[in-house]
Amino acid sequence: MVEPRSTDPRARFEYLAQQVRDELAAAGLPVAVPGAAPELSVGADVGVSGNGTCSRSGTRCDDDTRCDDDTRCDTGTGCDDEEPRVLVLWRVSPRLRHCVQADVKRVGEVTPAIRQSGEVRIAMAAAITAILSAAGFTARDTADEFVPFTVRVLAGPEPGPESDVWPAWSEHRAPPGGAERSAGS
């Protein structure tokens, strides 16, 4: 994938988001399909937020936008008009999300489902940060109460042959199993 030469500042962040998706997939993590319905998404959800885009739902913000937790999205709850940002969050299974949402509405206290969802998201944010850091990315916890357990990716690995990180799926690399394996398929 070649970095875009666009005057659109968002294009640079979209390129970085794709690099992150590729790297996480290369590490063996499931990666959510960009643009898929949130209720169908499982795994690492990589997106670009900013410029009036909800950092939780990835959609343009307006008074009627609803996020995954069914809260109204507005400029005070997760939207920003700042420079775009690449964010990675872990989406647990739809079944666990449904249990958490039901428990929050019904019980109002920490239940096993809520605890498990939180612990999984904490562990996966740490794992995603470690994987991306090992691959040469600059990534850290957002420390944002509106998007907890979310990793912010600030930069990708430095390009060039002198880089000491492994580039995930370069166009010049042989496919997994070697070039001879793909030629014989």
Side-chain angles (χ1 to χ4, degrees):
M1 179 182 233
V2 177
E3 186 166 3
R5 290 185 166 82
S6 171
T7 58
D8 177 14
R10 191 169 175 90
R12 182 173 56 102
F13 291 94
E14 292 291 351
Y15 174 76
L16 178 59
Q18 187 57 53
Q19 285 183 304
V20 169
R21 285 184 203 98
D22 290 348
E23 198 60 56
L24 294 175
L29 294 181
V31 177
V33 176
E39 63 272 10
L40 300 176
S41 296
V42 177
D45 191 351
V46 182
V48 178
S49 72
N51 292 340
T53 301
C54 177
S55 55
R56 289 184 288 169
S57 68
T59 58
R60 282 302 281 176
C61 291
D62 58 41
D63 289 337
D64 297 323
T65 301
R66 299 254 173 219
C67 294
D68 289 344
D69 60 0
D70 204 35
T71 57
R72 188 171 62 77
C73 187
D74 60 43
T75 54
T77 59
C79 296
D80 47 0
D81 293 319
E82 302 169 358
E83 182 176 76
R85 310 180 288 172
V86 174
L87 299 175
V88 185
L89 62 95
W90 186 259
R91 292 200 180 272
V92 296
S93 73
R95 179 178 171 204
L96 182 54
R97 282 196 306 258
H98 175 75
C99 290
V100 167
Q101 289 170 351
D103 285 356
V104 167
K105 289 177 184 175
R106 186 173 35 99
V107 179
E109 62 186 49
V110 177
T111 64
I114 293 170
R115 186 176 306 107
Q116 181 183 11
S117 176
E119 291 298 326
V120 167
R121 292 177 67 202
I122 289 168
M124 292 311 298
I128 288 166
T129 301
I131 290 165
L132 293 175
S133 295
F137 289 80
T138 303
R140 57 183 48 99
D141 180 45
T142 60
D144 183 339
E145 67 185 70
F146 296 116
V147 284
F149 320 122
T150 303
V151 176
R152 181 175 182 185
V153 182
L154 303 171
E158 292 297 320
E162 62 281 345
S163 176
D164 62 351
V165 295
W166 174 75
W169 312 116
S170 166
E171 292 126 13
H172 304 292
R173 297 179 75 71
E180 62 281 347
R181 182 170 179 195
S182 66
S185 301

